[in-house]
Amino acid sequence: MNPSRNPFIAGNWKMHRTVSESVSLARAVADGSRIGPRTEVVVAPVATALAAVGKALEGARVGLSAQNVHWEDQGAFTGELSPGMLKDVGCAYCIVGHSERRQLFGETDANVHRKLLALRRHGLAPIACLGETLSERESGVTYDVLRRQLDGMLGALEREEATALLTGLIIAYEPVWAIGTGRTAKSTDAQSAHAYLRDRIRDRFGEVADTVRILYGGSVKADNAAELLAQPDVDGVLVGGASLDAAGFARIIQAAG
Ligand code: 13P
């Protein structure tokens, strides 16, 4: 972590938990975690639980995130939710471009770009995910993939528009081979990828790169969080499985200080 950026710890609950279970888990996270004064903590329940969890978290130091969004405000888009609808139930954040959505549901960088712009228009902070697959890492193209995904997500913006998009943006580097596998990236490999992403943003858009928080995700647990967070360009973590256990998630939160 770098003291100029506030640590960010997010729990992605994916497709787990009913509404009442989500509310209990959110309360357990809010009541059972010692959250450092500068640390931002966020949970991302399933869409059906967002409203109830949003209510349960009112006044708590834990923010609410959705797991996906559509870029239009309303219309004939069966099954979708708009940024305004997410905001309406208390979301301040939204995950976009998760590898599960890319691999299983056809999410593209171009659509992630539209979603980023729509979220910013509504004042929601995007948590934009990217990361290479195992075969991409093994064939030595990791950084090409990261550059393609980053450039695709940010699009061909002019510097000024890009600064508006990048201010407050959260990026999550989640190597696909580390997600749900118990195989965490080495902290030094995570650092290299994060530094590469930040350098790329700086090359294209300048100093605003230093304000972008870059999270690591992929088999983060209570016993490996501190080492990852000790890296200068790892500004936080995006936690899947381990965030479903409030006590374990609390230990990860504590690792952020
Ligand atoms: P795991 O922590 O279960 O590996 O999941 C990571 C993830 O995909 C978070 O978005």
Side-chain angles (χ1 to χ4, degrees), residues 189-238:
D189 287 342
Q191 166 58 26
S192 305
H194 287 217
Y196 176 81
L197 291 166
R198 200 181 303 286
D199 285 346
R200 177 72 186 156
I201 298 171
R202 192 179 294 107
D203 286 348
R204 286 191 62 197
F205 305 113
E207 300 288 284
V208 68
D210 292 316
T211 69
V212 174
R213 282 175 294 179
I214 307 180
L215 318 181
Y216 167 80
S219 298
V220 174
K221 308 251 173 329
D223 56 10
N224 60 27
E227 191 188 333
L228 288 157
L229 290 166
Q231 299 296 322
D233 284 290
V234 176
D235 305 312
V237 286
L238 179 54

Side-chain angles (χ1 to χ4, degrees), residues 9 14 27 29 95 124 129-130 138-140 156 166 193 197 218 248:
I9 310 293
K14 305 193 180 182
R27 288 214 172 101
V29 169
I95 297 170
L124 287 139
C129 305
L130 42 65
E138 285 174 343
S139 50
L166 288 162
L197 291 166

Side-chain angles (χ1 to χ4, degrees), residues 24-251:
S24 306
L25 179 55
R27 288 214 172 101
V29 169
D31 297 343
S33 308
R34 269 203 283 132
I35 303 175
R38 293 177 49 239
T39 305
E40 244 172 289
V41 176
V42 164
V43 294
V46 292
T48 50
L50 284 172
V53 171
K55 265 210 164 56
L57 289 178
E58 270 171 22
R61 284 218 32 227
V62 177
L64 184 68
S65 174
Q67 299 178 13
N68 187 28
V69 69
H70 189 65
W71 55 86
E72 295 288 350
D73 287 348
Q74 59 185 0
F77 303 105
T78 302
E80 297 292 326
L81 298 169
S82 73
M85 290 165 186
L86 299 180
K87 208 171 160 184
D88 185 42
V89 292
C91 290
Y93 308 85
C94 183
I95 297 170
V96 287
H98 193 280
S99 67
E100 287 148 17
R101 298 221 57 87
R102 290 172 184 270
Q103 295 200 313
L104 305 170
F105 303 104
E107 183 79 291
T108 63
D109 292 324
N111 284 354
V112 174
H113 178 65
R114 292 190 183 99
K115 294 178 181 193
L116 291 181
L117 295 178
L119 288 168
R120 292 330 304 250
R121 211 168 50 241
H122 287 267
L124 287 139
I127 304 171
C129 305
L130 42 65
E132 81 286 1
T133 63
L134 184 59
S135 70
E136 288 164 343
R137 173 154 286 260
E138 285 174 343
S139 50
V141 296
T142 294
Y143 291 169
D144 300 320
V145 171
L146 296 185
R147 190 180 58 229
R148 191 190 67 229
Q149 291 179 331
L150 181 70
D151 286 354
M153 293 194 316
L154 297 181
L157 296 175
E158 296 302 321
R159 243 186 203 225
E160 222 162 82
E161 295 169 295
T163 303
L165 182 67
L166 288 162
T167 304
L169 179 69
I170 300 147
I171 290 177
Y173 168 59
E174 298 205 305
V176 177
W177 48 269
I179 295 178
T181 58
R183 201 180 148 192
T184 320
K186 280 196 226 125
S187 55
T188 46
D189 287 342
Q191 166 58 26
S192 305
H194 287 217
Y196 176 81
L197 291 166
R198 200 181 303 286
D199 285 346
R200 177 72 186 156
I201 298 171
R202 192 179 294 107
D203 286 348
R204 286 191 62 197
F205 305 113
E207 300 288 284
V208 68
D210 292 316
T211 69
V212 174
R213 282 175 294 179
I214 307 180
L215 318 181
Y216 167 80
S219 298
V220 174
K221 308 251 173 329
D223 56 10
N224 60 27
E227 191 188 333
L228 288 157
L229 290 166
Q231 299 296 322
D233 284 290
V234 176
D235 305 312
V237 286
L238 179 54
V239 187
S243 69
L244 293 167
D245 168 50
F249 192 54
R251 286 176 55 209

